[in-house]
Amino acid sequence: MATSNLSAYDPQSVPDASNMIFGIVVAEWNPEITGALLSGCVSTLEKHGALPENIHVKRVPGSFELIYGAHQMTLNDGYDAVIILGSVIRGETPHFDYICQGVTAGIARLNATSNIPVIYGLLTTNDMQQARDRAGGRLGNKGDECAIVAIKMAKF
């Protein structure tokens, strides 16, 4: 279990993002969580110079659809990086395992085959409180972390 703050980083280690264009695909499922992830991600991109008009957000119904949305964005030559944001919370059935494994494999495949990085911002938690803790709560915001990773990988 992560115990460090996801939003803690050295700002000096982050390249200038003022000439970068980012695609963000965010799941509509668990909107309290995904909305907070998106807010953190966008504000961190802008904090490091990304212009609001260079941050393109698309929404998909659920986390499994993040793969398709990210793939479509990788086909557009204009993005320097694509970020996926979603939240899957464990329930009483194996649905959690299938979705988490499927999204992870799909995003890994995109990273291996596309020309731009796809940043994995899927929270996979046991309960809603764990998700809140990682979406602006006591452990920071995974959206912040994804923004930093996207900027760094765009410069890779």
mmCIF file of all heavy atoms in Angstrom, residues 82-137:
data_model
loop_
_atom_site.group_PDB
_atom_site.id
_atom_site.type_symbol
_atom_site.label_atom_id
_atom_site.label_comp_id
_atom_site.label_asym_id
_atom_site.label_seq_id
_atom_site.Cartn_x
_atom_site.Cartn_y
_atom_site.Cartn_z
ATOM 1 N N VAL A 82 -0.521 11.254 -23.735
ATOM 2 C CA VAL A 82 -1.929 11.007 -23.419
ATOM 3 C C VAL A 82 -1.971 10.464 -21.998
ATOM 4 O O VAL A 82 -1.153 9.628 -21.613
ATOM 5 C CB VAL A 82 -2.555 10.000 -24.412
ATOM 6 C CG1 VAL A 82 -3.950 9.597 -23.961
ATOM 7 C CG2 VAL A 82 -2.574 10.572 -25.818
ATOM 8 N N ILE A 83 -2.935 10.940 -21.225
ATOM 9 C CA ILE A 83 -3.102 10.523 -19.832
ATOM 10 C C ILE A 83 -4.469 9.877 -19.688
ATOM 11 O O ILE A 83 -5.469 10.438 -20.157
ATOM 12 C CB ILE A 83 -3.014 11.742 -18.887
ATOM 13 C CG1 ILE A 83 -1.677 12.459 -19.054
ATOM 14 C CG2 ILE A 83 -3.253 11.328 -17.441
ATOM 15 C CD1 ILE A 83 -1.644 13.862 -18.464
ATOM 16 N N ILE A 84 -4.525 8.715 -19.050
ATOM 17 C CA ILE A 84 -5.824 8.117 -18.736
ATOM 18 C C ILE A 84 -6.082 8.280 -17.240
ATOM 19 O O ILE A 84 -5.172 8.158 -16.425
ATOM 20 C CB ILE A 84 -5.919 6.633 -19.155
ATOM 21 C CG1 ILE A 84 -4.932 5.745 -18.378
ATOM 22 C CG2 ILE A 84 -5.717 6.462 -20.645
ATOM 23 C CD1 ILE A 84 -5.554 4.556 -17.743
ATOM 24 N N LEU A 85 -7.322 8.597 -16.899
ATOM 25 C CA LEU A 85 -7.720 8.768 -15.506
ATOM 26 C C LEU A 85 -9.008 7.991 -15.246
ATOM 27 O O LEU A 85 -10.011 8.200 -15.931
ATOM 28 C CB LEU A 85 -7.944 10.252 -15.188
ATOM 29 C CG LEU A 85 -6.742 11.176 -15.364
ATOM 30 C CD1 LEU A 85 -7.168 12.626 -15.200
ATOM 31 C CD2 LEU A 85 -5.631 10.812 -14.392
ATOM 32 N N GLY A 86 -8.957 7.093 -14.287
ATOM 33 C CA GLY A 86 -10.131 6.314 -13.944
ATOM 34 C C GLY A 86 -10.037 5.807 -12.520
ATOM 35 O O GLY A 86 -9.005 5.942 -11.856
ATOM 36 N N SER A 87 -11.120 5.189 -12.058
ATOM 37 C CA SER A 87 -11.173 4.663 -10.700
ATOM 38 C C SER A 87 -12.026 3.402 -10.693
ATOM 39 O O SER A 87 -13.192 3.434 -11.090
ATOM 40 C CB SER A 87 -11.785 5.709 -9.762
ATOM 41 O OG SER A 87 -12.011 5.164 -8.486
ATOM 42 N N VAL A 88 -11.413 2.313 -10.255
ATOM 43 C CA VAL A 88 -12.129 1.055 -10.093
ATOM 44 C C VAL A 88 -12.041 0.678 -8.617
ATOM 45 O O VAL A 88 -10.948 0.604 -8.056
ATOM 46 C CB VAL A 88 -11.535 -0.067 -10.973
ATOM 47 C CG1 VAL A 88 -12.351 -1.343 -10.843
ATOM 48 C CG2 VAL A 88 -11.451 0.365 -12.430
ATOM 49 N N ILE A 89 -13.191 0.474 -8.007
ATOM 50 C CA ILE A 89 -13.253 0.157 -6.582
ATOM 51 C C ILE A 89 -13.762 -1.277 -6.434
ATOM 52 O O ILE A 89 -14.779 -1.642 -7.026
ATOM 53 C CB ILE A 89 -14.154 1.159 -5.841
ATOM 54 C CG1 ILE A 89 -13.575 2.582 -6.002
ATOM 55 C CG2 ILE A 89 -14.301 0.775 -4.368
ATOM 56 C CD1 ILE A 89 -14.458 3.690 -5.516
ATOM 57 N N ARG A 90 -13.042 -2.071 -5.660
ATOM 58 C CA ARG A 90 -13.366 -3.487 -5.507
ATOM 59 C C ARG A 90 -14.803 -3.662 -5.009
ATOM 60 O O ARG A 90 -15.256 -2.954 -4.127
ATOM 61 C CB ARG A 90 -12.395 -4.145 -4.522
ATOM 62 C CG ARG A 90 -12.556 -5.655 -4.454
ATOM 63 C CD ARG A 90 -11.555 -6.293 -3.521
ATOM 64 N NE ARG A 90 -10.184 -6.056 -3.905
ATOM 65 C CZ ARG A 90 -9.515 -6.751 -4.826
ATOM 66 N NH1 ARG A 90 -10.118 -7.707 -5.499
ATOM 67 N NH2 ARG A 90 -8.247 -6.478 -5.084
ATOM 68 N N GLY A 91 -15.476 -4.619 -5.591
ATOM 69 C CA GLY A 91 -16.832 -4.966 -5.170
ATOM 70 C C GLY A 91 -16.889 -6.420 -4.740
ATOM 71 O O GLY A 91 -15.874 -7.001 -4.358
ATOM 72 N N GLU A 92 -18.061 -7.014 -4.868
ATOM 73 C CA GLU A 92 -18.268 -8.379 -4.404
ATOM 74 C C GLU A 92 -18.026 -9.438 -5.477
ATOM 75 O O GLU A 92 -18.097 -10.630 -5.188
ATOM 76 C CB GLU A 92 -19.691 -8.520 -3.858
ATOM 77 C CG GLU A 92 -19.955 -7.638 -2.659
ATOM 78 C CD GLU A 92 -21.394 -7.708 -2.183
ATOM 79 O OE1 GLU A 92 -22.213 -8.415 -2.803
ATOM 80 O OE2 GLU A 92 -21.702 -7.047 -1.186
ATOM 81 N N THR A 93 -17.771 -9.023 -6.705
ATOM 82 C CA THR A 93 -17.595 -9.972 -7.801
ATOM 83 C C THR A 93 -16.205 -9.810 -8.422
ATOM 84 O O THR A 93 -15.514 -8.825 -8.154
ATOM 85 C CB THR A 93 -18.662 -9.741 -8.901
ATOM 86 O OG1 THR A 93 -18.382 -8.485 -9.545
ATOM 87 C CG2 THR A 93 -20.068 -9.715 -8.317
ATOM 88 N N PRO A 94 -15.802 -10.728 -9.286
ATOM 89 C CA PRO A 94 -14.490 -10.626 -9.930
ATOM 90 C C PRO A 94 -14.411 -9.529 -11.002
ATOM 91 O O PRO A 94 -13.362 -9.347 -11.609
ATOM 92 C CB PRO A 94 -14.264 -12.010 -10.547
ATOM 93 C CG PRO A 94 -15.509 -12.773 -10.411
ATOM 94 C CD PRO A 94 -16.461 -12.001 -9.558
ATOM 95 N N HIS A 95 -15.479 -8.791 -11.207
ATOM 96 C CA HIS A 95 -15.495 -7.703 -12.197
ATOM 97 C C HIS A 95 -14.289 -6.774 -12.005
ATOM 98 O O HIS A 95 -13.633 -6.376 -12.976
ATOM 99 C CB HIS A 95 -16.804 -6.923 -12.080
ATOM 100 C CG HIS A 95 -16.924 -5.768 -13.003
ATOM 101 N ND1 HIS A 95 -17.186 -5.929 -14.349
ATOM 102 C CD2 HIS A 95 -16.813 -4.437 -12.793
ATOM 103 C CE1 HIS A 95 -17.227 -4.732 -14.931
ATOM 104 N NE2 HIS A 95 -17.002 -3.811 -13.995
ATOM 105 N N PHE A 96 -13.967 -6.427 -10.786
ATOM 106 C CA PHE A 96 -12.831 -5.568 -10.451
ATOM 107 C C PHE A 96 -11.548 -6.094 -11.090
ATOM 108 O O PHE A 96 -10.800 -5.366 -11.735
ATOM 109 C CB PHE A 96 -12.688 -5.491 -8.926
ATOM 110 C CG PHE A 96 -11.454 -4.784 -8.435
ATOM 111 C CD1 PHE A 96 -11.459 -3.413 -8.220
ATOM 112 C CD2 PHE A 96 -10.292 -5.491 -8.157
ATOM 113 C CE1 PHE A 96 -10.323 -2.755 -7.739
ATOM 114 C CE2 PHE A 96 -9.155 -4.840 -7.679
ATOM 115 C CZ PHE A 96 -9.178 -3.471 -7.479
ATOM 116 N N ASP A 97 -11.287 -7.392 -10.891
ATOM 117 C CA ASP A 97 -10.058 -7.995 -11.408
ATOM 118 C C ASP A 97 -9.997 -7.947 -12.930
ATOM 119 O O ASP A 97 -8.952 -7.625 -13.505
ATOM 120 C CB ASP A 97 -9.928 -9.443 -10.931
ATOM 121 C CG ASP A 97 -9.843 -9.535 -9.416
ATOM 122 O OD1 ASP A 97 -9.091 -8.753 -8.812
ATOM 123 O OD2 ASP A 97 -10.551 -10.387 -8.840
ATOM 124 N N TYR A 98 -11.109 -8.260 -13.575
ATOM 125 C CA TYR A 98 -11.120 -8.257 -15.039
ATOM 126 C C TYR A 98 -10.897 -6.861 -15.602
ATOM 127 O O TYR A 98 -10.143 -6.678 -16.554
ATOM 128 C CB TYR A 98 -12.446 -8.827 -15.569
ATOM 129 C CG TYR A 98 -12.666 -10.269 -15.207
ATOM 130 C CD1 TYR A 98 -13.831 -10.673 -14.572
ATOM 131 C CD2 TYR A 98 -11.696 -11.242 -15.483
ATOM 132 C CE1 TYR A 98 -14.037 -12.001 -14.233
ATOM 133 C CE2 TYR A 98 -11.904 -12.571 -15.143
ATOM 134 C CZ TYR A 98 -13.071 -12.944 -14.518
ATOM 135 O OH TYR A 98 -13.273 -14.254 -14.183
ATOM 136 N N ILE A 99 -11.554 -5.870 -15.036
ATOM 137 C CA ILE A 99 -11.402 -4.496 -15.526
ATOM 138 C C ILE A 99 -9.975 -4.010 -15.287
ATOM 139 O O ILE A 99 -9.328 -3.466 -16.198
ATOM 140 C CB ILE A 99 -12.428 -3.550 -14.866
ATOM 141 C CG1 ILE A 99 -13.854 -3.947 -15.253
ATOM 142 C CG2 ILE A 99 -12.150 -2.093 -15.244
ATOM 143 C CD1 ILE A 99 -14.153 -3.904 -16.753
ATOM 144 N N CYS A 100 -9.462 -4.190 -14.088
ATOM 145 C CA CYS A 100 -8.104 -3.726 -13.776
ATOM 146 C C CYS A 100 -7.068 -4.396 -14.670
ATOM 147 O O CYS A 100 -6.181 -3.727 -15.216
ATOM 148 C CB CYS A 100 -7.781 -3.968 -12.310
ATOM 149 S SG CYS A 100 -8.811 -3.001 -11.178
ATOM 150 N N GLN A 101 -7.165 -5.701 -14.838
ATOM 151 C CA GLN A 101 -6.214 -6.414 -15.691
ATOM 152 C C GLN A 101 -6.351 -6.001 -17.147
ATOM 153 O O GLN A 101 -5.348 -5.815 -17.843
ATOM 154 C CB GLN A 101 -6.412 -7.925 -15.544
ATOM 155 C CG GLN A 101 -5.977 -8.455 -14.201
ATOM 156 C CD GLN A 101 -6.372 -9.910 -13.979
ATOM 157 O OE1 GLN A 101 -6.903 -10.575 -14.865
ATOM 158 N NE2 GLN A 101 -6.114 -10.404 -12.783
ATOM 159 N N GLY A 102 -7.580 -5.845 -17.601
ATOM 160 C CA GLY A 102 -7.802 -5.465 -18.998
ATOM 161 C C GLY A 102 -7.270 -4.080 -19.318
ATOM 162 O O GLY A 102 -6.591 -3.884 -20.338
ATOM 163 N N VAL A 103 -7.538 -3.124 -18.451
ATOM 164 C CA VAL A 103 -7.057 -1.760 -18.685
ATOM 165 C C VAL A 103 -5.539 -1.722 -18.614
ATOM 166 O O VAL A 103 -4.878 -1.104 -19.460
ATOM 167 C CB VAL A 103 -7.690 -0.753 -17.696
ATOM 168 C CG1 VAL A 103 -7.083 0.631 -17.868
ATOM 169 C CG2 VAL A 103 -9.201 -0.698 -17.887
ATOM 170 N N THR A 104 -4.970 -2.395 -17.640
ATOM 171 C CA THR A 104 -3.515 -2.415 -17.503
ATOM 172 C C THR A 104 -2.861 -3.008 -18.744
ATOM 173 O O THR A 104 -1.909 -2.434 -19.289
ATOM 174 C CB THR A 104 -3.105 -3.201 -16.237
ATOM 175 O OG1 THR A 104 -3.689 -2.553 -15.101
ATOM 176 C CG2 THR A 104 -1.605 -3.249 -16.080
ATOM 177 N N ALA A 105 -3.364 -4.128 -19.217
ATOM 178 C CA ALA A 105 -2.799 -4.765 -20.416
ATOM 179 C C ALA A 105 -2.994 -3.881 -21.647
ATOM 180 O O ALA A 105 -2.086 -3.746 -22.475
ATOM 181 C CB ALA A 105 -3.440 -6.135 -20.632
ATOM 182 N N GLY A 106 -4.161 -3.266 -21.758
ATOM 183 C CA GLY A 106 -4.434 -2.408 -22.911
ATOM 184 C C GLY A 106 -3.533 -1.184 -22.967
ATOM 185 O O GLY A 106 -3.005 -0.828 -24.034
ATOM 186 N N ILE A 107 -3.327 -0.552 -21.836
ATOM 187 C CA ILE A 107 -2.464 0.635 -21.802
ATOM 188 C C ILE A 107 -1.003 0.230 -22.009
ATOM 189 O O ILE A 107 -0.247 0.923 -22.702
ATOM 190 C CB ILE A 107 -2.669 1.423 -20.494
ATOM 191 C CG1 ILE A 107 -4.121 1.929 -20.403
ATOM 192 C CG2 ILE A 107 -1.668 2.577 -20.393
ATOM 193 C CD1 ILE A 107 -4.607 2.756 -21.586
ATOM 194 N N ALA A 108 -0.597 -0.912 -21.458
ATOM 195 C CA ALA A 108 0.770 -1.400 -21.686
ATOM 196 C C ALA A 108 0.990 -1.654 -23.182
ATOM 197 O O ALA A 108 2.039 -1.290 -23.737
ATOM 198 C CB ALA A 108 1.021 -2.672 -20.879
ATOM 199 N N ARG A 109 0.003 -2.244 -23.840
ATOM 200 C CA ARG A 109 0.104 -2.506 -25.288
ATOM 201 C C ARG A 109 0.224 -1.196 -26.059
ATOM 202 O O ARG A 109 1.041 -1.079 -26.978
ATOM 203 C CB ARG A 109 -1.090 -3.321 -25.761
ATOM 204 C CG ARG A 109 -0.980 -3.765 -27.218
ATOM 205 C CD ARG A 109 -2.141 -4.649 -27.652
ATOM 206 N NE ARG A 109 -3.402 -3.923 -27.611
ATOM 207 C CZ ARG A 109 -4.386 -4.127 -26.738
ATOM 208 N NH1 ARG A 109 -4.270 -5.048 -25.800
ATOM 209 N NH2 ARG A 109 -5.492 -3.419 -26.773
ATOM 210 N N LEU A 110 -0.565 -0.197 -25.688
ATOM 211 C CA LEU A 110 -0.472 1.107 -26.362
ATOM 212 C C LEU A 110 0.912 1.720 -26.179
ATOM 213 O O LEU A 110 1.470 2.300 -27.110
ATOM 214 C CB LEU A 110 -1.534 2.069 -25.829
ATOM 215 C CG LEU A 110 -2.950 1.875 -26.320
ATOM 216 C CD1 LEU A 110 -3.886 2.848 -25.619
ATOM 217 C CD2 LEU A 110 -3.027 2.037 -27.819
ATOM 218 N N ASN A 111 1.466 1.604 -24.986
ATOM 219 C CA ASN A 111 2.792 2.154 -24.738
ATOM 220 C C ASN A 111 3.862 1.447 -25.563
ATOM 221 O O ASN A 111 4.845 2.065 -25.957
ATOM 222 C CB ASN A 111 3.150 2.101 -23.254
ATOM 223 C CG ASN A 111 2.716 3.356 -22.544
ATOM 224 O OD1 ASN A 111 3.056 4.452 -22.950
ATOM 225 N ND2 ASN A 111 1.949 3.199 -21.483
ATOM 226 N N ALA A 112 3.664 0.167 -25.820
ATOM 227 C CA ALA A 112 4.651 -0.596 -26.586
ATOM 228 C C ALA A 112 4.527 -0.367 -28.089
ATOM 229 O O ALA A 112 5.480 -0.583 -28.828
ATOM 230 C CB ALA A 112 4.513 -2.083 -26.280
ATOM 231 N N THR A 113 3.362 0.102 -28.537
ATOM 232 C CA THR A 113 3.133 0.175 -29.987
ATOM 233 C C THR A 113 2.918 1.579 -30.533
ATOM 234 O O THR A 113 2.969 1.765 -31.747
ATOM 235 C CB THR A 113 1.919 -0.688 -30.385
ATOM 236 O OG1 THR A 113 0.755 -0.220 -29.692
ATOM 237 C CG2 THR A 113 2.156 -2.156 -30.047
ATOM 238 N N SER A 114 2.657 2.561 -29.693
ATOM 239 C CA SER A 114 2.404 3.907 -30.209
ATOM 240 C C SER A 114 3.661 4.763 -30.111
ATOM 241 O O SER A 114 4.622 4.397 -29.444
ATOM 242 C CB SER A 114 1.234 4.574 -29.475
ATOM 243 O OG SER A 114 1.573 4.841 -28.141
ATOM 244 N N ASN A 115 3.635 5.889 -30.776
ATOM 245 C CA ASN A 115 4.791 6.778 -30.814
ATOM 246 C C ASN A 115 4.792 7.819 -29.709
ATOM 247 O O ASN A 115 5.716 8.618 -29.632
ATOM 248 C CB ASN A 115 4.864 7.478 -32.170
ATOM 249 C CG ASN A 115 5.191 6.504 -33.275
ATOM 250 O OD1 ASN A 115 5.935 5.558 -33.071
ATOM 251 N ND2 ASN A 115 4.625 6.715 -34.440
ATOM 252 N N ILE A 116 3.750 7.833 -28.904
ATOM 253 C CA ILE A 116 3.699 8.789 -27.796
ATOM 254 C C ILE A 116 3.360 8.042 -26.506
ATOM 255 O O ILE A 116 2.724 6.991 -26.536
ATOM 256 C CB ILE A 116 2.673 9.923 -28.045
ATOM 257 C CG1 ILE A 116 1.262 9.376 -28.209
ATOM 258 C CG2 ILE A 116 3.070 10.768 -29.238
ATOM 259 C CD1 ILE A 116 0.210 10.453 -28.245
ATOM 260 N N PRO A 117 3.805 8.559 -25.373
ATOM 261 C CA PRO A 117 3.539 7.871 -24.108
ATOM 262 C C PRO A 117 2.073 7.985 -23.691
ATOM 263 O O PRO A 117 1.434 9.018 -23.895
ATOM 264 C CB PRO A 117 4.445 8.590 -23.109
ATOM 265 C CG PRO A 117 4.720 9.927 -23.706
ATOM 266 C CD PRO A 117 4.643 9.758 -25.193
ATOM 267 N N VAL A 118 1.576 6.902 -23.121
ATOM 268 C CA VAL A 118 0.238 6.875 -22.536
ATOM 269 C C VAL A 118 0.440 6.649 -21.040
ATOM 270 O O VAL A 118 0.982 5.625 -20.622
ATOM 271 C CB VAL A 118 -0.637 5.769 -23.148
ATOM 272 C CG1 VAL A 118 -2.021 5.768 -22.492
ATOM 273 C CG2 VAL A 118 -0.760 5.949 -24.657
ATOM 274 N N ILE A 119 0.017 7.618 -20.254
ATOM 275 C CA ILE A 119 0.263 7.605 -18.816
ATOM 276 C C ILE A 119 -0.903 6.945 -18.085
ATOM 277 O O ILE A 119 -2.061 7.305 -18.284
ATOM 278 C CB ILE A 119 0.491 9.046 -18.293
ATOM 279 C CG1 ILE A 119 1.530 9.782 -19.156
ATOM 280 C CG2 ILE A 119 0.864 9.031 -16.822
ATOM 281 C CD1 ILE A 119 2.845 9.071 -19.366
ATOM 282 N N TYR A 120 -0.576 6.010 -17.219
ATOM 283 C CA TYR A 120 -1.544 5.170 -16.518
ATOM 284 C C TYR A 120 -1.997 5.848 -15.226
ATOM 285 O O TYR A 120 -1.234 5.922 -14.262
ATOM 286 C CB TYR A 120 -0.870 3.832 -16.215
ATOM 287 C CG TYR A 120 -1.740 2.793 -15.573
ATOM 288 C CD1 TYR A 120 -2.525 1.952 -16.355
ATOM 289 C CD2 TYR A 120 -1.744 2.614 -14.201
ATOM 290 C CE1 TYR A 120 -3.291 0.964 -15.771
ATOM 291 C CE2 TYR A 120 -2.514 1.626 -13.608
ATOM 292 C CZ TYR A 120 -3.282 0.805 -14.404
ATOM 293 O OH TYR A 120 -4.052 -0.176 -13.826
ATOM 294 N N GLY A 121 -3.211 6.338 -15.216
ATOM 295 C CA GLY A 121 -3.769 6.993 -14.049
ATOM 296 C C GLY A 121 -5.037 6.310 -13.574
ATOM 297 O O GLY A 121 -6.054 6.967 -13.332
ATOM 298 N N LEU A 122 -5.002 4.998 -13.474
ATOM 299 C CA LEU A 122 -6.161 4.236 -13.012
ATOM 300 C C LEU A 122 -5.978 3.897 -11.543
ATOM 301 O O LEU A 122 -5.043 3.181 -11.172
ATOM 302 C CB LEU A 122 -6.313 2.946 -13.825
ATOM 303 C CG LEU A 122 -7.503 2.064 -13.449
ATOM 304 C CD1 LEU A 122 -8.819 2.740 -13.847
ATOM 305 C CD2 LEU A 122 -7.374 0.696 -14.106
ATOM 306 N N LEU A 123 -6.852 4.422 -10.692
ATOM 307 C CA LEU A 123 -6.852 4.033 -9.282
ATOM 308 C C LEU A 123 -7.544 2.683 -9.163
ATOM 309 O O LEU A 123 -8.631 2.486 -9.709
ATOM 310 C CB LEU A 123 -7.598 5.054 -8.430
ATOM 311 C CG LEU A 123 -6.951 6.409 -8.224
ATOM 312 C CD1 LEU A 123 -7.807 7.261 -7.296
ATOM 313 C CD2 LEU A 123 -5.544 6.280 -7.673
ATOM 314 N N THR A 124 -6.927 1.750 -8.456
ATOM 315 C CA THR A 124 -7.500 0.428 -8.222
ATOM 316 C C THR A 124 -7.493 0.222 -6.708
ATOM 317 O O THR A 124 -6.486 -0.168 -6.138
ATOM 318 C CB THR A 124 -6.682 -0.662 -8.939
ATOM 319 O OG1 THR A 124 -5.326 -0.600 -8.494
ATOM 320 C CG2 THR A 124 -6.715 -0.452 -10.444
ATOM 321 N N THR A 125 -8.604 0.526 -6.090
ATOM 322 C CA THR A 125 -8.651 0.545 -4.627
ATOM 323 C C THR A 125 -9.672 -0.441 -4.073
ATOM 324 O O THR A 125 -10.580 -0.882 -4.788
ATOM 325 C CB THR A 125 -8.980 1.967 -4.120
ATOM 326 O OG1 THR A 125 -10.250 2.368 -4.655
ATOM 327 C CG2 THR A 125 -7.914 2.957 -4.550
ATOM 328 N N ASN A 126 -9.507 -0.742 -2.802
ATOM 329 C CA ASN A 126 -10.420 -1.672 -2.140
ATOM 330 C C ASN A 126 -11.718 -1.019 -1.708
ATOM 331 O O ASN A 126 -12.721 -1.706 -1.531
ATOM 332 C CB ASN A 126 -9.732 -2.307 -0.925
ATOM 333 C CG ASN A 126 -8.648 -3.269 -1.346
ATOM 334 O OD1 ASN A 126 -8.830 -4.043 -2.278
ATOM 335 N ND2 ASN A 126 -7.516 -3.208 -0.678
ATOM 336 N N ASP A 127 -11.699 0.310 -1.492
ATOM 337 C CA ASP A 127 -12.908 0.990 -1.052
ATOM 338 C C ASP A 127 -12.861 2.473 -1.448
ATOM 339 O O ASP A 127 -11.831 2.962 -1.904
ATOM 340 C CB ASP A 127 -13.135 0.829 0.459
ATOM 341 C CG ASP A 127 -11.967 1.306 1.295
ATOM 342 O OD1 ASP A 127 -11.450 2.417 1.045
ATOM 343 O OD2 ASP A 127 -11.563 0.576 2.226
ATOM 344 N N MET A 128 -13.965 3.138 -1.251
ATOM 345 C CA MET A 128 -14.082 4.546 -1.643
ATOM 346 C C MET A 128 -13.118 5.433 -0.856
ATOM 347 O O MET A 128 -12.561 6.378 -1.406
ATOM 348 C CB MET A 128 -15.528 5.028 -1.467
ATOM 349 C CG MET A 128 -15.751 6.467 -1.884
ATOM 350 S SD MET A 128 -15.380 6.815 -3.628
ATOM 351 C CE MET A 128 -16.944 6.389 -4.368
ATOM 352 N N GLN A 129 -12.893 5.144 0.408
ATOM 353 C CA GLN A 129 -11.987 5.981 1.188
ATOM 354 C C GLN A 129 -10.563 5.919 0.635
ATOM 355 O O GLN A 129 -9.877 6.934 0.566
ATOM 356 C CB GLN A 129 -12.000 5.600 2.670
ATOM 357 C CG GLN A 129 -11.199 6.575 3.534
ATOM 358 C CD GLN A 129 -11.678 8.015 3.392
ATOM 359 O OE1 GLN A 129 -12.864 8.307 3.537
ATOM 360 N NE2 GLN A 129 -10.765 8.930 3.063
ATOM 361 N N GLN A 130 -10.114 4.747 0.237
ATOM 362 C CA GLN A 130 -8.787 4.638 -0.375
ATOM 363 C C GLN A 130 -8.710 5.467 -1.656
ATOM 364 O O GLN A 130 -7.697 6.102 -1.933
ATOM 365 C CB GLN A 130 -8.439 3.185 -0.674
ATOM 366 C CG GLN A 130 -8.125 2.363 0.548
ATOM 367 C CD GLN A 130 -7.793 0.928 0.194
ATOM 368 O OE1 GLN A 130 -7.999 0.460 -0.929
ATOM 369 N NE2 GLN A 130 -7.271 0.193 1.183
ATOM 370 N N ALA A 131 -9.781 5.474 -2.423
ATOM 371 C CA ALA A 131 -9.810 6.280 -3.648
ATOM 372 C C ALA A 131 -9.760 7.769 -3.304
ATOM 373 O O ALA A 131 -8.989 8.529 -3.917
ATOM 374 C CB ALA A 131 -11.062 5.958 -4.464
ATOM 375 N N ARG A 132 -10.549 8.190 -2.325
ATOM 376 C CA ARG A 132 -10.526 9.600 -1.907
ATOM 377 C C ARG A 132 -9.145 10.019 -1.410
ATOM 378 O O ARG A 132 -8.694 11.127 -1.694
ATOM 379 C CB ARG A 132 -11.560 9.832 -0.809
ATOM 380 C CG ARG A 132 -12.984 9.824 -1.287
ATOM 381 C CD ARG A 132 -13.947 10.131 -0.141
ATOM 382 N NE ARG A 132 -15.316 10.019 -0.577
ATOM 383 C CZ ARG A 132 -16.203 9.171 -0.059
ATOM 384 N NH1 ARG A 132 -15.872 8.373 0.951
ATOM 385 N NH2 ARG A 132 -17.426 9.130 -0.530
ATOM 386 N N ASP A 133 -8.491 9.127 -0.671
ATOM 387 C CA ASP A 133 -7.151 9.426 -0.152
ATOM 388 C C ASP A 133 -6.158 9.693 -1.273
ATOM 389 O O ASP A 133 -5.188 10.433 -1.085
ATOM 390 C CB ASP A 133 -6.629 8.263 0.696
ATOM 391 C CG ASP A 133 -7.335 8.135 2.036
ATOM 392 O OD1 ASP A 133 -8.036 9.083 2.459
ATOM 393 O OD2 ASP A 133 -7.187 7.050 2.658
ATOM 394 N N ARG A 134 -6.388 9.114 -2.456
ATOM 395 C CA ARG A 134 -5.470 9.227 -3.589
ATOM 396 C C ARG A 134 -5.962 10.193 -4.660
ATOM 397 O O ARG A 134 -5.324 10.354 -5.698
ATOM 398 C CB ARG A 134 -5.260 7.835 -4.196
ATOM 399 C CG ARG A 134 -4.469 6.926 -3.283
ATOM 400 C CD ARG A 134 -4.711 5.447 -3.555
ATOM 401 N NE ARG A 134 -3.873 4.611 -2.689
ATOM 402 C CZ ARG A 134 -4.143 4.334 -1.417
ATOM 403 N NH1 ARG A 134 -5.225 4.828 -0.835
ATOM 404 N NH2 ARG A 134 -3.318 3.581 -0.703
ATOM 405 N N ALA A 135 -7.082 10.823 -4.409
ATOM 406 C CA ALA A 135 -7.666 11.779 -5.366
ATOM 407 C C ALA A 135 -7.841 13.137 -4.685
ATOM 408 O O ALA A 135 -8.911 13.736 -4.715
ATOM 409 C CB ALA A 135 -8.997 11.256 -5.893
ATOM 410 N N GLY A 136 -6.767 13.594 -4.045
ATOM 411 C CA GLY A 136 -6.796 14.883 -3.374
ATOM 412 C C GLY A 136 -6.879 14.787 -1.871
ATOM 413 O O GLY A 136 -6.940 15.807 -1.180
ATOM 414 N N GLY A 137 -6.861 13.577 -1.335
ATOM 415 C CA GLY A 137 -6.931 13.380 0.112
ATOM 416 C C GLY A 137 -5.566 13.302 0.756
ATOM 417 O O GLY A 137 -4.594 13.881 0.265
#
